[in-house]
Amino acid sequence: MKNINKIVLSGVQPTGGLHIGNYLGAIKNFVSMQTEYDCFFCVVDLHAITVKQDPKLLKNNTYEVVATYLASGIDPTKSVIFNQSNVSSHSELAWIFNCITRMGWLNRMTQFKDKAGKDKENASSGLFIYPNLMAADILLYKATHVPVGDDQKQHLELTRDIAQKFNRDYECDSFFPIPEPIIDKNISRIMSLKNGELKMSKSDSSDYSRISLTDSADQIEKKIKKAKTADTSMPDNNEDVSKLFEVNNLLNIFSGFSGIDKLELIEKYKGQNFSNFKNSLTEVIIEHIKPISKEIDKLMNDKAYLNQIISSGAEKASEKANVTIKEVYDIIGFVRNET
Ligand code: TRP
């Protein structure tokens, strides 16, 4: 039984090339949340355009995220799958939050600094206020829980600050719930196959740093063969493993896909060189990825079905979002056209 007081919202950007880091670190866990929470899973296209996107690719990538949600096991009869730009109140609430957030708060956001890089003057203003839109995504549905990876923790903190300031400034105590992060200790951050200290990323220039959800069995085999390990054999304890970043990462991937505890894997492969381990890892990845990539492929060839999911998702999301935005406008003192 779902507890209706527990609402989850999360979003994935349609910027292409979803990889096993996105799957193991986020989407796979969305699937297991569906039974316990009322879930809203969003394709955040408004966030995507904070950096320049090719319109054709953006469309295709949006369909691909929807297809990946479905292929991974998100059930549209249990959860709401929708596209952010289809629900106009995301932009509306984001504007309100632009007027709540302080410049000082945004100036502390490390992701902006990372993404804007050295050329800050040339970054879009959207990239700077990006966290306000993310807060709008979350609070529009009065989400109580947000599954977040390390890189989004600071944005969720900001969301909590925004909710508190709004409630305080407008004297509407607990109008917005203060959302809690869901940080699952069993979920590891998946790192690059070439450098275990860097996050697996679609923007890494080397294709060998990541495994995409649409990679063929051959590609997966090649990438795991080439993946960096260590000059030693597999250590016999977790402490030593954790010092070998790349080995640790491969064990996390193995454990993430197979469900076998990392310590059990260490026990099995300790003292061996890495070839046996890599062969089994390749098999495990292929076994789990293949049905998903096949289904993504099938769904991408059925745009009519994807459009139907997107349209019914927009309807369900709007129903809830429209109530919140009306309440917000009322609280703020906007005179509404009631005719
Ligand atoms: N900023 C998130 C990311 O880049 C995506 C996102 C947008 C999100 N809105 C959200 C995640 C709301 C959780 C909740 O990964």
Side-chain angles (χ1 to χ4, degrees), residues 2-51:
K2 282 195 209 186
N3 178 341
I4 49 156
N5 297 318
K6 283 171 137 187
I7 299 166
V8 155
L9 180 132
S10 198
V12 170
Q13 290 201 46
T15 42
L18 289 179
H19 50 68
I20 58 171
N22 302 116
Y23 178 73
L24 291 177
I27 299 173
K28 175 171 169 256
N29 313 297
F30 295 173
V31 177
S32 54
M33 283 169 196
Q34 297 183 100
T35 43
E36 199 185 332
Y37 300 88
D38 245 349
C39 294
F40 293 85
F41 298 119
C42 185
V43 187
V44 289
D45 54 357
L46 296 171
H47 277 108
I49 63 158
T50 53
V51 296

Side-chain angles (χ1 to χ4, degrees), residues 17-20 193 200 207-224 285-286 289-294 296-297:
L18 289 179
H19 50 68
I20 58 171
L193 301 180
M200 186 175 281
D207 201 37
Y208 279 93
S209 68
R210 63 187 161 255
I211 293 176
S212 299
L213 291 179
T214 49
D215 276 350
S216 68
D218 272 2
Q219 281 169 308
I220 294 173
E221 192 181 344
K222 263 194 213 134
K223 287 179 179 180
I224 294 297
I285 299 174
I286 293 172
I289 290 275
K290 236 193 160 176
I292 297 174
S293 59
K294 244 174 111 181
I296 294 175
D297 226 36

Side-chain angles (χ1 to χ4, degrees), residues 235-284:
D236 63 3
N237 65 79
N238 195 24
E239 204 191 327
D240 289 345
V241 160
S242 57
K243 288 178 203 145
L244 307 173
F245 300 122
E246 288 81 13
V247 174
N248 191 37
N249 185 44
L250 293 179
L251 279 163
N252 283 335
I253 294 172
F254 201 135
S255 174
F257 278 116
S258 66
I260 302 171
D261 194 79
K262 198 163 118 193
L263 296 178
E264 217 175 292
L265 293 170
I266 295 173
E267 194 54 35
K268 180 161 180 197
Y269 293 102
K270 68 181 179 192
Q272 300 184 20
N273 70 22
F274 292 99
S275 66
N276 221 345
F277 169 73
K278 278 188 167 184
N279 288 339
S280 307
L281 174 59
T282 303
E283 268 174 40
V284 163

